[in-house]
Amino acid sequence: MDRKIIPFNKPALVSGEIELVAEVLQQGHMAGDGVYTKKCNNLLELITGAQKVLLTTSCTHALEMTALLLDIQAGDEVILPSFTFVSTVNAFVLRGARPVFADIRPDTLNLDESKLEALITPHTRAIVPVHYAGVGCEMESILAIAHQHGLKVVEDNAHGLFGKYRGKSLGTFGDLATQSFHETKNISCGEGGAVLINDPALNDRAEILREKGTNRSRFFRGQVDKYTWVDIGSSYLPSEALAAVLYAQLTAREEIQSRRRHIWERYASTLSGWAQQHNVRLPIIPEYCQQPYHMFYMLMPSLEVRTRFISWMKDHGVTCVFHYLPLHLSQMGEKFGGKIGDCPVTEDISDRLVRLPLFYNLEDSELDDVIEQILAFKQF
Ligand SMILES: Cc1ncc(COP(=O)(O)O)c(C=O)c1O
């Protein structure tokens, strides 16, 4: 008999997505910035408290927009964690910047703010903290350092919609922030993202860059009588069909979040004894951070144990996956001077981290199965 494999992720299908896409198709407005894009922008402003949100085609593109908005130039330096997705760095390297990789904290796996000052040079322009698993970076210290040195801050909040740090939404601390709605995220439309603009001085230019360098948004609002080329730019706005899917999911956010919370908390409560016994570390959430239940990871005692664990789970029908490889040791990272030992915590964590299935449509019986297989793993 074929065994059903439990995947690591399945995009959520809640309710209303199909109806809203059908409505968009029937109404005949499929390009961007229609009714549903605006509804999503407004709802995201309400959820986060950001003064302006613009949907984008991905978080990667939102990050590219932030580099353009901050006028990052060749020779500028941007400080970011080595333990992140490649888009965090590429957005700035595309503008000619030199990435400077910072190590992470061993507890939250977020950029280690105590390492920042030593990395700042006269060329530094920006700091890009990544809220790993949607658990807030130490934003008070990061903002204080940024202000002291006149640096911009871009929060890569790909994981952290609904996350809060000291009661304030992630994505509202930096000059700019980005979200992802890729299918692996809590709220998704397959591929999608958003840029959060916390400095109103950047509002107008953000609209222009996102609309191919034109003032088309002003034209559609009747503020100019024709639109034209006014700046550099690209096409960063998603189709209305995707915005409709996203709107349906955003509307169902409480249902999605409550299911994810249930799964996360079951992992945490049922695995804690086993983890302690076998020197496995479970996620640490500081009490002043409200997490969005985006990810449940475990730190295994060694790379060898992790490899055996992933293969054991696979043999027992459960897909578990590792995460980022250190960027400073990648082919590109080495070209920027990265070498072993630069970010020891990242190098160690990256080898030992494993993520468990966590998605809205994960059934309770599947969750029980995953937990049972984990508890049966003894190859330490
Ligand atoms: C921290 C981080 N930033 C950016 C991205 C890119 O997101 P997207 O796939 O929406 O471009 C990801 C992808 O998961 C990510 O993990």
Side-chain angles (χ1 to χ4, degrees), residues 22-83:
E23 182 196 311
V24 167
L25 286 167
Q26 278 151 7
Q27 289 186 352
H29 181 107
M30 279 281 276
D33 273 348
V35 174
Y36 284 107
T37 305
K38 287 184 186 130
K39 282 182 182 235
C40 287
N41 292 343
N42 293 341
L43 194 47
L44 286 165
E45 283 163 12
L46 194 80
I47 291 168
T48 61
Q51 62 94 37
K52 189 171 177 74
V53 176
L54 292 172
L55 281 198
T56 58
T57 30
S58 62
C59 183
T60 301
H61 280 165
L63 285 160
E64 288 180 26
M65 274 185 67
T66 69
L68 287 165
L69 278 167
L70 297 182
D71 261 329
I72 298 293
Q73 305 284 332
D76 289 345
E77 291 177 2
V78 175
I79 304 176
L80 71 160
S82 171
F83 191 63

Side-chain angles (χ1 to χ4, degrees), residues 53 62 126 188 211 219 283 332 339:
V53 176
S188 86
E211 266 285 20
F219 172 70
M332 274 296 278
K339 54 186 184 325

